[in-house]
Amino acid sequence: MIGRKMKKITYVMSFFFIIGLLFIGCSKNNADEKGIFNSMEDAFSDAKKKNQNVLVIVTSNGDDELSASFVDNVINDANFKSEISSKYTVLHMDFSEATFKKTVVNPDDDKKVQEKTEKFANLMQENAKYASKLYVQTTPAAFILTKENYFISELDLTQKIESLTDFIKMIDENSDTVTKVNQMVEACKKGNSSEKIAAIDELYEYTQMMYRSFLSDLVFEVINLDRKNESGLLSKYLLTSADITSSEYFLQGNIDAAVKGYLDICENEYLLPEHKQQAYYLAAYIKLMTGSNDYEECLKLIDESIAAAPETDSAKSIKNMRDYLTNSIMPAE
């Protein structure tokens, strides 16, 4: 029965993330004979040189039927390079069991082979992080991004793609969105500070919330351009910057820095009360979620969160969390 199954993709991606931390060095990979890259760094470098968008394809070839069908009928089509790779920079990330096996170092191999395996494991770790950022849940999956690595759209691969022609049609159906996003991106590069900020905010609001982390450089650009909050948007971007910073530290396992990412913005005079409330709450949440036993500090952060905007609906929920913490988790004196 045909079904969209992850087939160990979550496990494999998690493994790649962990094992990749053990290896040092980067892997330079050129495009293959179909014009396909398997290195994110190389793909976006190529896209900038050619001034074209990036098509990201994620599969688990051999582990699920839809991925196998997509690889056979689309990627392996003789016209893939002329019809797709000539118009888009293609990044293909495969998280199959076969790919997983290529990351395992064999102690009996010679040093050069082991080094090659380690570099490939590092590459897969980077790909797994990137796939996680795209919120890949099932395979196959496909996304279009700008050469600057800003999200444009996800292609709907919930149905079986029978041919390269079917895939081309699906890409073409997104052409209006592709054009619109690229026009908005170009607007972000032009004009004075206020015009750039307005353009960035338009792109930010157009981008789906889950993909706004791709706009991280533009988020920090708004903060640098508008330190005195002349646009009235600074608070929103301060909180977004904290989300981005904290997430990066969290993935690295640096919990203290992840918490600090939220606390740092609370010192900014332009941070709105409701945003300060969220920042303090998220700092406390991270500590509790990661098993901190420093309940007094967590309570202090929760109290700061409530005090920042005591009349909001969120404050009521945070008070309930505080009651639960004091009554159910904190050790009795």
Side-chain angles (χ1 to χ4, degrees):
M1 180 179 69
I2 297 176
R4 291 178 57 81
K5 299 181 180 178
M6 291 184 67
K7 292 286 190 176
K8 302 182 182 178
I9 187 170
T10 301
Y11 167 75
V12 173
M13 287 169 62
S14 299
F15 175 86
F16 287 147
F17 177 74
I18 295 169
I19 196 172
L21 298 177
L22 303 176
F23 302 124
I24 299 175
C26 60
S27 178
K28 290 292 183 181
N29 300 275
N30 296 320
D32 63 16
E33 67 278 1
K34 303 184 191 74
I36 299 174
F37 292 86
N38 69 353
S39 160
M40 183 188 71
E41 180 182 350
D42 290 348
F44 281 96
S45 176
D46 177 78
K48 289 176 181 177
K49 290 177 182 176
K50 296 179 180 177
N51 190 31
Q52 57 188 18
N53 297 301
V54 178
L55 176 64
V56 179
I57 298 172
V58 185
T59 60
S60 186
N61 190 27
D63 292 350
D64 74 77
E65 187 174 344
L66 284 176
S67 282
S69 175
F70 187 86
V71 170
D72 289 343
N73 297 329
V74 178
I75 295 179
N76 289 340
D77 188 289
N79 295 316
F80 185 89
K81 184 173 184 178
S82 61
E83 296 296 327
I84 304 293
S85 300
S86 63
K87 301 169 185 176
Y88 286 84
T89 293
V90 180
L91 170 62
H92 180 204
M93 301 184 294
D94 185 75
F95 297 105
S96 63
E97 189 71 24
T99 302
F100 163 75
K101 290 179 180 179
K102 295 178 183 178
T103 69
V104 180
V105 177
N106 186 342
D108 295 329
D109 289 336
D110 62 43
K111 186 176 180 180
K112 288 186 177 180
V113 173
Q114 290 186 21
E115 288 177 350
K116 183 178 180 179
T117 303
E118 290 174 355
K119 287 182 178 180
F120 183 72
N122 189 56
L123 171 67
M124 287 296 99
Q125 179 259 336
E126 291 300 320
N127 285 351
K129 286 171 61 179
Y130 192 70
S132 296
K133 192 174 179 180
L134 285 167
Y135 291 91
V136 175
Q137 297 296 316
T138 56
T139 55
F143 307 84
I144 302 175
L145 294 100
T146 71
K147 63 180 183 295
E148 296 87 359
N149 197 15
Y150 302 148
F151 180 86
I152 297 178
S153 65
E154 178 179 5
L155 303 181
D156 182 11
L157 299 186
T158 56
Q159 55 186 341
K160 188 174 182 180
I161 304 300
E162 300 286 353
S163 66
L164 178 62
T165 301
D166 290 343
F167 190 52
I168 293 171
K169 181 180 179 181
M170 184 173 291
I171 293 174
D172 290 343
E173 289 172 352
N174 285 264
S175 60
D176 289 344
T177 302
V178 171
T179 299
K180 183 173 183 177
V181 171
N182 276 287
Q183 288 174 343
M184 287 192 287
V185 170
E186 288 305 307
C188 295
K189 305 173 184 178
K190 301 174 182 178
N192 57 34
S193 293
S194 61
E195 290 169 336
K196 287 180 179 178
I197 291 169
I200 291 171
D201 193 56
E202 181 182 6
L203 176 62
Y204 177 90
E205 291 297 334
Y206 183 83
T207 303
Q208 296 176 52
M209 185 178 295
M210 63 194 298
Y211 298 119
R212 287 174 179 170
S213 61
F214 287 93
L215 303 173
S216 59
D217 62 321
L218 296 179
V219 169
F220 288 102
E221 184 175 353
V222 169
I223 295 172
N224 290 329
L225 291 174
D226 195 25
R227 295 182 183 277
K228 295 184 178 181
N229 194 30
E230 294 177 358
S231 69
L233 298 171
L234 183 57
S235 184
K236 176 173 74 173
Y237 285 94
L238 286 170
L239 183 60
T240 302
S241 71
D243 289 336
I244 294 168
T245 300
S246 181
S247 296
E248 287 295 324
Y249 281 123
F250 186 86
L251 287 174
Q252 295 170 19
N254 191 338
I255 305 306
D256 289 340
V259 171
K260 188 174 183 295
Y262 283 111
L263 298 183
D264 283 347
I265 66 168
C266 292
E267 303 301 319
N268 192 294
E269 62 180 304
Y270 297 111
L271 189 68
L272 294 174
E274 58 267 31
H275 291 158
K276 183 177 290 189
Q277 181 171 83
Q278 292 181 55
Y280 277 123
Y281 170 76
L282 288 168
Y285 180 79
I286 290 172
K287 289 179 72 70
L288 290 169
M289 183 179 63
T290 53
S292 173
N293 294 322
D294 191 353
Y295 298 118
E296 292 297 334
E297 176 63 19
C298 291
L299 276 178
K300 179 182 177 182
L301 293 173
I302 291 172
D303 286 340
E304 292 278 12
S305 176
I306 296 170
E311 302 303 321
T312 64
D313 290 338
S314 295
K316 298 175 183 177
S317 299
I318 297 170
K319 288 175 184 177
N320 291 335
M321 177 183 175
R322 190 191 194 286
D323 291 340
Y324 174 77
L325 181 63
T326 54
N327 297 328
S328 304
I329 298 180
M330 289 185 67
E333 294 183 0

